Amino acid sequence: MKKLLLILLAACPVWAQVAKKQLTEADYSLWHTLEQEQLSEDGNWVSYSFTYASGKDTLFVKHTQKAKAYTFAGGTDGRFAANNHFVYRDGNGAVVVVNLKTGTSIKHPNIGNYKLALHTGLLVMHENFGTAAGDLLVVTMGGKVLKRIPRTTLFLVSPVGDQVVCDYDGQLLLLDLNHLDHPILIESKPQQYHSAVWQSNGASVAYLTNGPDAYVGYYQLAEKKHFIFDKKQFVDFPKDGELYNASVTELSISDDGQRVFFGVKPKQVAVDNGGVQVWNTADKLPFPRKLAINGWKDRAKLAVWLPLQQQFRMLTTVTFPYQELLPGQQLALVYDPMTHEPQFDYDAPIDFYLQDVVTGSQRLVLAKQSPDRTKMGVSTQGDYIAYFKDKDWWIYDIKRDTHRNLTGLLGHSFVDHSYDRSGDERVWSVAGWTANDDAVLVYDAYDIWSLKTDGSSAVRLTRGKEEGIVFRLVPQKDYKTIGTPTDKVVDLTKGIVLKAVTPDKSGYFSWNSKSGAQPIVFEPNRISGFKRTNTGVSIFIREHYHLSPQLIVKQPSGKFKVIGQSNEQQKYYAWGFSKRFSYENSKVQPLRGALFYPAGYDATKSYPMVVHIYEHLSQYYNQYVNPTLQNEDGFNISNLTTQGYFVLLPDIAYEEGKPGVSAVDCVTAAINEVLAHESVDKKRIGLIGHSFGGYETSFIVTQTNLFAAAISGAGFNDFISSYLSVGLNNKKQDTWRYEFNQLRMGVPLFDNFERYLQNSPVTFAPKVNTPFLLWTGTDDSAIDYRQSLEFHLALRRLGKPNILLLYEGGGHGLTKAEHQADITRRMSQWWDYYLKGAPKPDWFTPDTF
């Protein structure tokens, strides 16, 4: 406490100079979140919003260099448009266009969906929103209506932004935004339209109608040719099949315009089992999962139609129900995830087949490949498949039908050694592909590697390991103000943007082959939300636990400017600060923890402390946290620090087969490190966790009396009953959690029954002496609420004090506002009673009959 404390206090002298107000629950509504950062293409304007729990949000637009700004109370969905215009929705839902030069604005009320046609500088809007059919308007930024099409239900602007397809009284029209007086009638027979889609270059459009006689249409703009898919013409169209548009079978057009893809789903027939469920241990899946899948008969399948040749075939079937179209849409990866069932991990290994979408010919390209998609990636041109197997990155050359090991001679590990769960090892994944599929970029623990697809070289692009910096690629679509068709290609010749993180700093770097990685912003704060224009102007968010998020603009000259500061009211209230510290567990493994100091901290006083646990949490030491009652698990760092508590977030390292013991070891080690250096009262320490953290909390209080009180939310408490259960959400046997994942048993229950018993909290229920609160939701589909109920009933039978809060209709995290406020308030009362000696809340009192 001592030297580090003096440094921290010196960095924030205002805390010691001005008397601050005590934050109360009544003040929480003042806090807001900084969101929706936008940057105009020329870099002259930036927009952002403050969003409040009450819904009374404010949208701001500011000049990045001049003292010129606009404030729009209730404004949302802000977007920069052509010629220094800004478009947003006001509090009444109207679309407002603001001329940023003059400050004048034009309001368009009663607008539903709208689009900016950037290349023409026009707005396309659907008026009379909420009616069965409204008017489609094409409007200038100055408010002039260039075209009005009545009775429209659907419209779609082309990728280039110069064409619009829409319906009119059931007919389908094509509008050229540069020649609005000459609309083209695509479909004259009145229909109800479900959806439409453009070819990637805007050369054609496809659409899907509604109703029992629904069909797919396809129109080529240049050729002015219209094609209709009639399922009656194709004898191989599935019997009782219906056209169906969903996320797994979206209507789409191939890049070359030759193929149209759409979904087909059979009419669902109720399965009558006579009231008897037949569970067979030889089944590929447990009965509930088998029932949900129904042999893939109910799953929508993808079809391909060649309008010019009038050919049709089903791309996916019951045999191969899953697919992934490769770039170019001439080939697809198809597979059946059930091939290698039964097994007891979450997913089975997969046999991937490469299929010609037109002919249907197939070949097996990857056998028993991991279902973990971080271990696999398809190149941007569709010529290669990268995959991780046998501790190396491989490439499959689709044209040559050959496999090549790209990293076997490097002697370098691309495995994520920080991943300590049971089961298959994790890797750091594919980062991207260079132009012409020349190289695949992959990550290791710190750096980015460029692996030539022909196997000629493997080059490490960054030097993060030497500096202790983790570099990760930022895709263009995430930081560019205007997207480009080459967003998926990593152009190393033009340089790239990297996210950079160390234990104490974060930021962004620019990289090119000559200079390597050079910092754009890199500092001991949490830096996020980076965006940059082609002119070199950039914005980002800066925050720390004691620093509410700021929006920063950086000019090409290197000058930084705070353009937006959230929660300025914080300066009037006592607030805490944080630090990250190091410690070791009993195995001398180095670990980190995050410690948050109470508001108005006085080193001469002794404070209570709440310890929040999961797996690794110390990385949140520099994240700002709004005080609020709306917490899905009831835990809120700022609520606690402003109420006079230390808050500790320790990291935990695990030994397989000993998740509970590992948690006890690491958590107590972190607490002992804090007690040795900080003014924490060792008799007033509380422990809290949710989900896996709830399990750890339950287990820890059976092993130690270190804590004055504890709270466990929605956790596992009985490893035996949980292992022998079926998940409510995925309908899979929960063995995977224990043998291959977070619960880290590593072996089946019957191979080491004692291991399961020794890590199960309910086994040691007689040892619980800590005042203990349990909570869960009756609709928790991740961890059955009966897991918490079991522990409560065990403690009841043992005559030990315990309260269980069971939220009716609540999920794994509480989403109802009233539930969130209730659990947050009850937790506060729990801590205040046991850690501060406050009066006993009424709800602690048992019933009296």
Side-chain angles (χ1 to χ4, degrees):
M1 190 167 60
K2 337 304 189 197
K3 187 173 182 181
L4 175 60
L5 175 61
L6 292 174
I7 294 173
L8 286 168
L9 291 178
C12 304
V14 68
W15 295 338
Q17 296 172 0
V18 181
K20 302 295 183 72
K21 293 191 290 183
Q22 173 73 37
L23 186 70
T24 67
E25 183 182 306
D27 301 312
Y28 292 175
S29 61
L30 299 175
W31 262 254
H32 51 263
T33 303
L34 173 63
E35 290 184 350
Q36 199 182 20
E37 317 84 50
Q38 300 286 332
L39 185 61
S40 65
E41 190 172 5
D42 59 11
N44 288 332
W45 295 94
V46 64
S47 71
Y48 60 96
S49 60
F50 290 163
T51 61
Y52 293 80
S54 65
K56 296 180 179 179
D57 304 336
T58 303
L59 179 63
F60 301 90
V61 178
K62 293 185 178 181
H63 200 282
T64 56
Q65 299 182 68
K66 302 176 183 177
K68 194 171 185 178
Y70 299 94
T71 302
F72 308 115
T76 59
D77 192 25
R79 315 179 200 178
F80 288 103
N83 303 319
N84 282 291
H85 284 81
F86 184 74
V87 184
Y88 73 98
R89 285 192 187 276
D90 69 11
N92 298 316
V95 173
V96 183
V97 181
V98 181
N99 186 320
L100 297 175
K101 286 186 176 180
T102 65
T104 58
S105 63
I106 298 170
K107 183 181 294 188
H108 300 279
N110 200 23
I111 299 296
N113 188 21
Y114 78 93
K115 296 291 181 183
L116 292 170
L118 292 175
H119 291 277
T120 58
L122 299 174
L123 273 172
V124 184
M125 304 186 292
H126 194 198
E127 195 179 49
N128 301 324
F129 180 61
T131 60
D135 292 356
L136 184 71
L137 306 181
V138 180
V139 186
T140 67
M141 292 298 162
K144 182 179 180 180
V145 178
L146 301 179
K147 191 73 175 180
R148 179 184 292 268
I149 299 177
R151 297 177 296 282
T152 297
T153 62
L154 172 146
F155 79 92
L156 193 67
V157 178
S158 69
V160 181
D162 60 352
Q163 304 277 348
V164 177
V165 63
C166 68
D167 64 323
Y168 160 61
D169 261 352
Q171 304 173 85
L172 198 65
L173 297 179
L174 179 68
L175 295 177
D176 186 330
L177 294 179
N178 295 307
H179 302 91
L180 288 168
D181 294 333
H182 304 287
I184 296 173
L185 187 63
I186 296 177
E187 174 58 278
S188 58
K189 183 180 178 181
Q191 300 288 338
Q192 290 184 340
Y193 296 92
H194 178 279
S195 54
V197 65
W198 284 94
Q199 186 180 341
S200 59
N201 61 0
S204 66
V205 64
Y207 61 92
L208 174 64
T209 66
N210 278 325
D213 297 321
Y215 62 87
V216 176
Y218 174 73
Y219 183 79
Q220 294 177 318
L221 275 66
E223 297 82 357
K224 297 183 179 179
K225 289 185 177 181
H226 185 213
F227 303 86
I228 298 292
F229 175 78
D230 183 359
K231 62 183 180 181
K232 298 175 183 178
Q233 295 179 359
F234 301 98
V235 294
D236 50 350
F237 190 88
K239 184 180 179 181
D240 295 328
E242 299 176 337
L243 298 177
Y244 185 79
N245 199 34
S247 59
V248 295
T249 58
E250 281 186 323
L251 179 68
S252 64
I253 304 171
S254 62
D255 293 341
D256 61 8
Q258 298 296 304
R259 296 165 298 285
V260 178
F261 301 91
F262 53 86
V264 178
K265 189 172 185 179
K267 294 179 181 178
Q268 293 189 8
V269 179
V271 178
D272 183 6
N273 61 11
V276 179
Q277 297 181 7
V278 179
W279 294 58
N280 190 323
T281 57
D283 286 341
K284 281 183 173 287
L285 299 170
F287 182 85
R289 181 67 175 166
K290 180 174 67 173
L291 187 67
I293 290 175
N294 191 24
W296 302 122
K297 296 174 183 177
D298 299 332
R299 181 179 172 84
K301 310 300 190 301
L302 188 67
V304 59
W305 170 44
L306 284 71
L308 277 66
Q309 290 81 27
Q310 279 301 303
Q311 295 179 17
F312 161 85
R313 64 174 299 272
M314 295 302 301
L315 184 60
T316 52
T317 62
V318 170
T319 305
F320 291 105
Y322 283 77
Q323 58 75 31
E324 178 183 335
L325 286 173
L326 271 59
Q329 301 83 38
Q330 295 182 1
L331 298 170
L333 284 173
V334 296
Y335 61 97
D336 178 5
M338 297 299 107
T339 300
H340 296 289
E341 297 285 0
Q343 54 85 55
F344 297 95
D345 200 347
Y346 188 84
D347 287 314
I350 294 175
D351 291 345
F352 287 99
Y353 291 79
L354 198 62
Q355 180 184 119
D356 186 300
V357 302
V358 176
T359 68
S361 63
Q362 297 175 345
R363 66 176 183 262
L364 178 64
V365 295
L366 293 174
K368 292 190 175 181
Q369 175 64 19
S370 169
D372 181 356
R373 294 314 292 267
T374 64
K375 296 182 177 180
M376 187 173 169
V378 178
S379 66
T380 52
Q381 291 191 174
D383 292 334
Y384 301 96
I385 300 172
Y387 61 98
F388 192 86
K389 202 165 189 176
D390 301 328
K391 300 191 180 299
D392 280 306
W393 280 106
W394 293 69
I395 204 82
Y396 172 67
D397 188 323
I398 293 173
K399 293 179 180 178
R400 295 178 176 82
D401 190 21
T402 58
H403 296 261
R404 180 181 296 113
N405 190 327
L406 299 182
T407 59
L409 298 178
L410 288 178
H412 187 79
S413 176
F414 294 90
V415 173
D416 179 0
H417 295 290
S418 66
Y419 183 79
D420 58 6
R421 296 185 180 185
S422 295
D424 198 13
E425 60 190 7
R426 292 289 179 91
V427 299
W428 292 106
S429 82
V430 171
W433 298 79
T434 61
N436 303 313
D437 288 355
D438 181 61
V440 57
L441 306 180
V442 300
Y443 296 127
D444 69 9
Y446 291 96
D447 293 304
I448 304 173
W449 290 72
S450 175
L451 311 177
K452 291 286 188 179
T453 51
D454 63 6
S456 61
S457 70
V459 179
R460 186 162 60 110
L461 301 181
T462 54
R463 291 293 178 268
K465 182 178 181 180
E466 290 80 352
E467 301 175 48
I469 302 174
V470 176
F471 286 113
R472 294 296 180 255
L473 181 72
V474 182
Q476 287 187 22
K477 63 181 179 63
D478 290 349
Y479 71 84
K480 290 195 70 172
T481 55
I482 301 296
T484 69
T486 59
D487 276 348
K488 295 180 180 179
V489 176
V490 181
D491 192 344
L492 297 180
T493 64
K494 294 182 178 179
I496 54 179
V497 173
L498 306 174
K499 176 71 176 177
V501 177
T502 72
D504 302 308
K505 291 183 177 181
S506 69
Y508 294 87
F509 281 61
S510 61
W511 179 96
N512 61 55
S513 57
K514 293 183 178 179
S515 305
Q518 300 297 322
I520 300 171
V521 55
F522 192 56
E523 57 189 43
N525 292 299
R526 182 178 291 262
I527 305 297
S528 61
F530 179 83
K531 288 181 175 61
R532 184 172 68 183
T533 68
N534 290 331
T535 61
V537 179
S538 57
I539 58 171
F540 59 88
I541 301 291
R542 171 195 288 153
E543 65 180 291
H544 206 291
Y545 178 65
H546 61 270
L547 176 65
S548 187
Q550 301 174 324
L551 181 59
I552 311 294
V553 62
K554 182 181 180 183
Q555 297 294 341
S557 63
K559 183 180 179 181
F560 289 82
K561 178 182 178 182
V562 178
I563 206 147
Q565 173 66 62
S566 64
N567 296 311
E568 293 202 61
Q569 76 282 352
Q570 179 194 311
K571 61 188 175 186
Y572 301 114
Y573 294 89
W575 199 263
F577 57 95
S578 66
K579 76 171 185 179
R580 206 173 187 187
F581 66 95
S582 299
Y583 63 101
E584 294 177 344
N585 62 10
S586 63
K587 297 184 179 300
V588 200
Q589 290 176 282
L591 296 166
R592 288 180 175 269
L595 185 64
F596 300 82
Y597 288 70
Y601 174 69
D602 183 345
T604 64
K605 297 181 179 178
S606 182
Y607 294 88
M609 180 171 73
V610 173
V611 183
H612 181 242
I613 57 175
Y614 191 73
E615 290 183 335
H616 295 270
L617 296 175
S618 68
Q619 67 272 23
Y620 297 111
Y621 83 104
N622 60 3
Q623 178 173 303
Y624 190 81
V625 180
N626 283 358
T628 179
L629 291 175
Q630 310 311 138
N631 306 289
E632 290 192 0
D633 62 354
F635 174 76
N636 183 285
I637 293 172
S638 294
N639 288 10
L640 289 165
T641 58
T642 55
Q643 292 166 11
Y645 293 93
F646 272 95
V647 177
L648 171 63
L649 274 57
D651 288 345
I652 302 172
Y654 298 91
E655 181 180 352
E656 185 170 85
K658 298 181 178 180
V661 174
S662 299
V664 174
D665 180 24
C666 296
V667 171
T668 54
I671 292 172
N672 289 334
E673 179 67 22
V674 171
L675 290 175
H677 300 285
E678 309 293 350
S679 51
V680 172
D681 186 343
K682 66 179 181 180
K683 295 182 179 180
R684 295 190 292 157
I685 300 175
L687 180 67
I688 183 172
H690 171 249
S691 191
F692 183 67
Y695 153 68
E696 293 174 309
T697 298
S698 294
F699 186 84
I700 289 172
V701 297
T702 69
Q703 305 297 307
T704 177
N705 295 322
L706 174 63
F707 299 97
I711 302 175
S712 171
F716 299 99
N717 289 292
D718 183 347
F719 275 24
I720 311 299
S721 65
S722 175
Y723 179 91
L724 298 173
S725 68
V726 173
L728 298 177
N729 55 354
N730 53 47
K731 312 298 183 188
K732 297 185 178 185
Q733 190 170 340
D734 271 343
T735 51
W736 65 273
R737 295 180 184 272
Y738 293 86
E739 296 179 35
F740 302 100
N741 205 265
Q742 191 175 35
L743 291 168
R744 298 172 169 86
M745 288 292 95
V747 295
L749 168 66
F750 302 103
D751 285 2
N752 197 330
F753 204 89
E754 186 65 20
R755 175 180 290 187
Y756 281 75
L757 286 174
Q758 291 301 312
N759 284 277
S760 184
V762 75
T763 301
F764 304 101
K767 293 185 176 182
V768 175
N769 297 310
T770 303
F772 193 30
L773 176 66
L774 290 158
W775 71 267
T776 186
T778 61
D779 289 357
D780 188 338
S781 60
I783 299 177
D784 196 319
Y785 78 90
R786 294 175 183 84
Q787 283 289 303
S788 296
L789 182 58
E790 274 194 47
F791 206 5
H792 170 75
L793 294 177
L795 295 173
R796 176 183 174 86
R797 183 64 185 87
L798 290 164
K800 292 181 176 288
N802 175 259
I803 294 176
L804 168 65
L805 302 175
L806 192 55
Y807 287 90
E808 297 178 0
H812 191 56
L814 302 178
T815 57
K816 295 179 181 179
E818 60 270 27
H819 285 172
Q820 293 176 345
D822 185 84
I823 189 65
T824 302
R825 288 194 177 106
R826 289 183 193 268
M827 284 186 180
S828 178
Q829 294 165 5
W830 182 267
W831 298 133
D832 284 353
Y833 176 72
Y834 284 109
L835 305 186
K836 288 184 176 181
K840 179 183 290 188
D842 293 340
W843 57 278
F844 281 30
T845 304
D847 58 47
T848 53
F849 289 104

